[in-house]
Amino acid sequence: MANIQVSIITIGDELLIGQTVDTNSAWMAQRLNDLGIEIKRIVSVGDIAKDIKNALDEEIAAADIVLLTGGLGPTADDITKPLLCKYFGGDMVVNEEVLNHVKHIFEVRKRPFLDRNLKQAEVPDTCQVLFNKLGTAPGMLFERNGKVIISLPGVPFEMMGIMEDEVIPYLQQNFISDALLHRSIVTAGEGESFIAERIADLETTLPLHVRLAYLPSAGIVRLRLTGRGADKQRLVKELEMYQDQISNRLENIVVSLHDLPLEHILGRTLLEKQKTIGFAESCTGGYIAHHITQVMGSANYFQGSVVCYQNEIKESLLGVKKETLDKHGAVSEQTVIEMANGARRSLKADIGLGVTGLLSPGGGEDHVPVGTVWIGVADENRTVTKEFRFHYDRPRNKDMATQIGMLMAWKFLEDKL
Amino acid sequence: MANIQVSIITIGDELLIGQTVDTNSAWMAQRLNDLGIEIKRIVSVGDIAKDIKNALDEEIAAADIVLLTGGLGPTADDITKPLLCKYFGGDMVVNEEVLNHVKHIFEVRKRPFLDRNLKQAEVPDTCQVLFNKLGTAPGMLFERNGKVIISLPGVPFEMMGIMEDEVIPYLQQNFISDALLHRSIVTAGEGESFIAERIADLETTLPLHVRLAYLPSAGIVRLRLTGRGADKQRLVKELEMYQDQISNRLENIVVSLHDLPLEHILGRTLLEKQKTIGFAESCTGGYIAHHITQVMGSANYFQGSVVCYQNEIKESLLGVKKETLDKHGAVSEQTVIEMANGARRSLKADIGLGVTGLLSPGGGEDHVPVGTVWIGVADENRTVTKEFRFHYDRPRNKDMATQIGMLMAWKFLEDKL
């Protein structure tokens, strides 16, 4: 079967009032793309029977497989399960395996099992039950006229568990599809338009089954080649040829040929070079440390971070001199030099990274323009500093400083700074 | 006009392969809800003309206003603007104001202005241009048979800028709608089903125009009352009456009647009580510090955090005793007591919060079950500790430890621990 297509329907009022960001569909899309399964549309609707039914009608017509998440919880705002039962013409029955599992979960969590929890073990008798190891709401799989409709809970880790344990093996067994492959080039230092201009001639030579996308984010532009074809081995070779051509052309701004977040790229380089790192974070407030510790095994190269939101902490824990702070201010080149070296010494690290800035108005540094950030990287022998001026709001300025801080540390290690 | 309804269409291949999480529609939904405008559906499609056109047809039929984001960048993967031009039957023309602005942006950013950037100043002559102060791609507003279609760039801060400057004033002027109001109750300590059981009788008394939703997240369940009505003042009173009834019933587990993240709730309490706080973060890796510094003005109560990913740093910067680490291990009650008090002293704070745990397998603490986290809070007079066992994956365990750490600090300050 060539190019099977999936629609995702996410259900919940919380999505439509913006209280919850839908991260489920991005995760599902990524996971299915790995299998060569393409997502055609993602639709979010509220907890309203009519809207859910309409979405089902439309997406079943348009796609081969429809995945639903949400609407399966125990409380009164959930209406999806009875709707699916009616839609596929069955009766609700208690599933013994699910019931035992739900009771077991309540026992382990030392919570009383209530009558309304019994509902969670009920499923339409027309569905195949997809067991939910991590929660109480089971997944359900329905078939109709060769199309498959799968309903999953909205809690992300429960949805992910059922996807991995049940849905993906099922899809692998029942659907074969063209390979869909991606190759990426991560760049830093030039904008989207400028990169497009530099590779315009290469882009025009791409065949129809290979597409190039530009994905800009804080300080970084990712180029993604997507190819589709029946012959996977040939497709790999083809994509890697285009990846080579483009990365050779952009050589001076290429950070990685692996589509990884910067914390992974920096972590790999630290491991390779057998160096440790420590941070002195003022305006980034621990966000760089958070990123680097998202990587499993980061304890092999990450010593720690001193989040110094007050000048007295910069002095006492990092050894920044009071005179430096008094004379030049907390947001200055002189201070960031002492912070980077202080991080290196206090945290017993080979490399120190310091970040100090003014992300939003206020904060006692009013002589410095809002958005000014100083970043410094140091080892035993040298210290490199750079000044930035970000023009966004506070969260985005923090994100920029975090990404560019990691980028500068990576460049320092690669002798590109 | 009663209950005008909006559909959102987000455009971009990156959404359908899961490379980008769609945060735009949640932001738009929240902002429009504040105005009493309801979102009916959110649809994501790829950069494929046919799919965009289908989505436009469907959503224009179903809603009064259709908002599009994405597909307006300068590179070859963007096809939305020509499609809209054709869809609404106009010609592309260069808009002088936009052209001057785009050229100005390139000057400021010291980037050469390329021919392909000229395209960004082109708009269909059938649209009203929505000026984009923060970027190069203008927004566009089309009207057809009393329906309004608005196209915005996909870069979040550019989309937000045009929404605030242009779209929201336009909607306020041209559409009046029933008030849509929310009141929340943030609780911690009991699961969704158990809460539902405790307030079952109250829930059945809610009138049709008031709905109650349960929104569980790490360690927290938010209850949200949503009411709709023509008389805003009456609706406020009505919602607050139900909010009172429910929060009185749940008194022992209520954290806040404001739907704020925990970092805001903790920050408010620190300000009120004029206390400062400092963290010693091992397994949370700076994530608690990141949260607390997301709040503007947090420098008034946040001293800093020592992210101590190595035992030697726990010793040198926090004064944790080598004997304690050797005897009890890094993930232990004894260590977290010394960490919390070390954070308090080293960071010169009134309150110290310490977190140490094993989030995922490995890390040299293999005698401790994976998911074990010790959290301690201390002031001059007392130290409170608690042990947790989280059963999720590494990022979710980190999030749980972060949320519950903030919750414990808040309870400590409120004498509820």
Side-chain angles (χ1 to χ4, degrees):
Chain A
M1 189 172 185
N3 293 359
I4 61 156
Q5 294 196 317
V6 171
S7 275
I8 297 174
I9 303 175
T10 59
I11 301 169
D13 287 346
E14 66 278 14
L15 299 166
L16 298 190
I17 67 161
Q19 196 149 7
T20 303
V21 171
D22 169 26
T23 53
N24 279 355
S25 49
W27 186 90
M28 292 169 118
Q30 205 167 39
R31 200 64 191 81
L32 292 175
N33 255 265
D34 292 344
L35 303 179
I37 295 176
E38 194 177 335
I39 309 298
K40 191 167 177 60
R41 279 159 58 99
I42 301 167
V43 179
S44 301
V45 294
D47 293 304
I48 297 166
K50 190 166 147 276
D51 293 350
I52 299 172
K53 189 180 166 302
N54 281 347
L56 271 171
D57 287 342
E58 283 177 11
E59 301 312 316
I60 290 174
D64 306 296
I65 299 169
V66 179
L67 295 176
L68 292 84
T69 64
L72 299 182
T75 46
D77 58 339
D78 292 315
I79 53 167
T80 304
K81 200 156 61 178
L83 183 143
L84 287 171
C85 188
K86 202 172 149 203
Y87 196 89
F88 292 100
D91 292 308
M92 293 297 272
V93 291
V94 171
N95 180 297
E96 285 302 320
E97 190 192 7
V98 175
L99 180 64
N100 290 335
H101 173 65
V102 172
K103 284 186 172 167
H104 174 71
I105 286 189
F106 275 78
E107 257 174 55
V108 170
R109 294 183 189 167
K110 301 193 177 69
R111 298 281 159 95
F113 185 83
L114 309 170
D115 268 357
R116 68 166 63 217
N117 299 120
L118 199 65
K119 270 199 343 194
Q120 299 197 259
E122 284 185 359
V123 290
D125 55 7
T126 46
C127 83
Q128 175 184 337
V129 173
L130 306 177
F131 195 65
N132 180 359
K133 274 196 309 208
L134 301 171
T136 53
M140 292 168 281
L141 187 151
F142 302 88
E143 286 185 65
R144 175 185 274 184
N145 306 330
K147 307 222 169 182
V148 176
I149 296 89
I150 296 171
S151 163
L152 301 170
V155 180
F157 71 95
E158 295 183 22
M159 176 280 290
M160 292 174 194
I162 303 178
M163 281 288 289
E164 297 292 355
D165 294 346
E166 302 280 347
V167 178
I168 287 168
Y170 172 88
L171 296 176
Q172 278 175 324
Q173 202 160 43
N174 292 280
F175 295 88
I176 306 154
S177 152
D178 266 5
L180 182 75
L181 295 174
H182 305 290
R183 285 294 179 275
S184 294
I185 300 153
V186 180
T187 72
E190 280 174 18
E192 193 180 347
S193 326
F194 201 69
I195 295 172
E197 200 66 19
R198 280 177 69 184
I199 60 171
D201 59 320
L202 298 176
E203 203 169 343
T204 55
T205 67
L206 295 177
L208 269 178
H209 65 282
V210 177
R211 294 169 70 185
L212 178 67
Y214 294 74
L215 306 165
S217 64
I220 300 273
V221 178
R222 286 163 206 274
L223 307 187
R224 191 195 59 232
L225 289 157
T226 303
R228 174 180 298 284
D231 184 343
K232 188 175 168 184
Q233 301 232 305
R234 209 180 121 186
L235 191 60
V236 167
K237 279 198 187 140
E238 206 178 356
L239 284 181
E240 290 181 351
M241 181 192 74
Y242 294 118
Q243 187 189 32
D244 271 358
Q245 287 181 356
I246 295 172
S247 63
N248 286 337
R249 177 74 59 85
L250 299 175
E251 200 264 333
N252 62 320
I253 58 166
V254 171
V255 175
S256 177
L257 298 183
H258 299 280
D259 185 20
L260 292 171
L262 272 177
E263 54 269 26
H264 284 264
I265 295 171
L266 174 58
R268 280 183 177 202
T269 299
L270 284 162
L271 266 185
E272 267 168 38
K273 306 214 175 247
Q274 298 191 286
K275 299 282 183 193
T276 60
I277 198 163
F279 307 145
E281 297 186 66
S282 184
C283 64
T284 50
Y287 204 33
I288 309 183
H290 162 60
H291 275 81
I292 208 148
T293 59
Q294 287 295 84
V295 181
M296 212 182 290
S298 46
N300 290 310
Y301 44 79
F302 178 56
Q303 292 288 106
S305 178
V306 174
V307 180
C308 45
Y309 233 53
Q310 307 292 342
N311 281 350
E312 58 178 338
I313 306 304
K314 292 184 183 74
E315 293 173 34
S316 62
L317 294 189
L318 293 166
V320 176
K321 294 195 207 81
K322 189 170 184 314
E323 305 88 80
T324 307
L325 290 164
D326 287 345
K327 192 168 164 199
H328 302 284
V331 182
S332 66
E333 181 170 24
Q334 290 79 4
T335 296
V336 89
I337 291 172
E338 295 183 26
M339 282 172 65
N341 284 286
R344 192 169 60 74
R345 279 190 304 262
S346 292
L347 296 162
K348 305 171 204 297
D350 299 316
I351 311 280
L353 169 66
V355 184
T356 179
L358 183 66
L359 297 182
S360 58
E365 291 289 328
D366 299 336
H367 55 287
V368 171
V370 170
T372 302
V373 174
W374 277 98
I375 301 181
V377 193
D379 66 9
E380 240 184 332
N381 304 311
R382 66 187 183 121
T383 304
V384 181
T385 63
K386 267 194 170 179
E387 185 183 17
F388 299 88
R389 185 81 37 86
F390 302 125
H391 297 282
Y392 313 117
D393 59 4
R394 181 185 167 86
R396 193 170 152 83
N397 284 343
K398 193 181 188 185
D399 195 31
M400 289 293 284
T402 295
Q403 295 295 328
I404 292 178
M406 291 191 286
L407 186 65
M408 273 185 64
W410 175 82
K411 282 188 173 174
F412 186 95
L413 279 158
E414 296 282 359
D415 284 322
K416 294 186 176 188
L417 198 71
Chain B
M1 189 173 185
N3 293 358
I4 62 156
Q5 293 197 317
V6 171
S7 274
I8 297 174
I9 302 175
T10 59
I11 302 168
D13 287 346
E14 66 278 15
L15 299 167
L16 297 191
I17 67 160
Q19 195 147 9
T20 303
V21 171
D22 170 26
T23 55
N24 279 354
S25 49
W27 187 90
M28 292 168 118
Q30 202 168 39
R31 200 65 192 80
L32 293 173
N33 255 266
D34 292 343
L35 304 177
I37 295 176
E38 194 177 334
I39 309 298
K40 190 166 177 60
R41 277 161 57 100
I42 302 166
V43 179
S44 302
V45 293
D47 294 304
I48 296 167
K50 190 168 147 274
D51 292 350
I52 300 173
K53 189 181 166 299
N54 280 348
L56 270 171
D57 288 342
E58 283 177 11
E59 302 312 315
I60 290 174
D64 306 296
I65 299 169
V66 179
L67 295 176
L68 292 84
T69 64
L72 299 181
T75 45
D77 56 340
D78 293 316
I79 54 166
T80 305
K81 198 154 63 176
L83 183 143
L84 287 171
C85 188
K86 202 173 148 202
Y87 196 89
F88 292 100
D91 292 308
M92 293 296 273
V93 292
V94 171
N95 180 295
E96 284 302 321
E97 191 192 6
V98 176
L99 181 63
N100 289 336
H101 172 66
V102 172
K103 284 187 171 167
H104 173 72
I105 286 189
F106 276 79
E107 256 174 54
V108 169
R109 295 183 188 169
K110 300 195 177 67
R111 296 279 160 97
F113 185 82
L114 308 170
D115 268 358
R116 68 165 63 214
N117 299 119
L118 198 65
K119 270 197 345 194
Q120 299 196 260
E122 285 186 357
V123 290
D125 55 6
T126 46
C127 83
Q128 176 186 334
V129 173
L130 306 176
F131 195 65
N132 180 357
K133 275 196 309 207
L134 300 172
T136 55
M140 293 168 282
L141 187 151
F142 302 87
E143 286 183 65
R144 175 185 273 183
N145 306 332
K147 306 221 170 182
V148 176
I149 297 89
I150 296 171
S151 163
L152 300 171
V155 181
F157 71 95
E158 296 183 21
M159 175 280 289
M160 291 174 194
I162 304 179
M163 282 288 289
E164 296 293 354
D165 295 346
E166 303 279 347
V167 178
I168 286 166
Y170 172 88
L171 295 177
Q172 278 175 323
Q173 203 160 42
N174 292 279
F175 295 87
I176 306 156
S177 152
D178 267 5
L180 182 74
L181 295 175
H182 305 289
R183 286 293 180 276
S184 293
I185 300 153
V186 180
T187 72
E190 280 175 19
E192 193 181 349
S193 326
F194 201 69
I195 296 173
E197 200 66 19
R198 280 178 68 182
I199 60 172
D201 59 319
L202 298 175
E203 203 170 342
T204 56
T205 68
L206 295 177
L208 269 179
H209 65 284
V210 176
R211 293 168 71 185
L212 177 68
Y214 295 75
L215 306 166
S217 64
I220 299 275
V221 177
R222 288 162 204 275
L223 307 188
R224 191 194 60 232
L225 289 157
T226 302
R228 175 181 298 284
D231 184 343
K232 188 177 169 182
Q233 301 232 307
R234 210 181 119 185
L235 190 59
V236 167
K237 279 199 187 138
E238 206 179 356
L239 283 182
E240 290 181 351
M241 182 191 73
Y242 294 119
Q243 188 189 30
D244 271 359
Q245 286 182 358
I246 295 172
S247 64
N248 286 337
R249 177 74 59 85
L250 299 176
E251 200 264 332
N252 62 321
I253 58 166
V254 171
V255 175
S256 175
L257 298 183
H258 299 280
D259 185 20
L260 291 171
L262 271 179
E263 54 270 26
H264 283 264
I265 295 171
L266 174 58
R268 281 182 176 201
T269 300
L270 285 162
L271 266 184
E272 267 168 38
K273 307 216 174 247
Q274 298 191 288
K275 299 282 184 196
T276 60
I277 197 163
F279 308 145
E281 297 186 67
S282 184
C283 65
T284 52
Y287 204 33
I288 309 183
H290 162 60
H291 276 81
I292 207 150
T293 60
Q294 287 295 84
V295 181
M296 212 181 290
S298 47
N300 290 311
Y301 45 79
F302 178 56
Q303 291 289 105
S305 178
V306 174
V307 180
C308 44
Y309 232 53
Q310 307 292 342
N311 281 350
E312 57 178 340
I313 307 304
K314 291 185 183 73
E315 294 174 34
S316 62
L317 295 188
L318 293 167
V320 175
K321 292 194 207 82
K322 190 171 183 313
E323 305 88 81
T324 307
L325 290 164
D326 286 346
K327 192 168 165 200
H328 303 284
V331 182
S332 65
E333 180 168 26
Q334 290 79 4
T335 296
V336 89
I337 290 172
E338 295 183 25
M339 283 173 65
N341 284 286
R344 192 169 61 73
R345 280 189 304 263
S346 291
L347 296 162
K348 304 171 205 297
D350 299 316
I351 311 282
L353 169 67
V355 185
T356 179
L358 183 67
L359 298 182
S360 58
E365 292 288 330
D366 299 336
H367 54 288
V368 172
V370 171
T372 303
V373 175
W374 277 97
I375 302 182
V377 194
D379 66 8
E380 239 183 333
N381 304 313
R382 64 187 183 121
T383 304
V384 181
T385 62
K386 267 193 170 179
E387 185 182 17
F388 299 88
R389 185 81 38 85
F390 302 126
H391 297 282
Y392 313 116
D393 59 4
R394 181 185 168 86
R396 191 170 154 86
N397 284 343
K398 193 181 188 185
D399 195 30
M400 289 293 286
T402 295
Q403 296 295 329
I404 292 177
M406 292 192 286
L407 186 66
M408 273 186 65
W410 175 81
K411 283 187 173 175
F412 187 95
L413 279 158
E414 298 281 359
D415 284 322
K416 294 185 177 188
L417 198 69

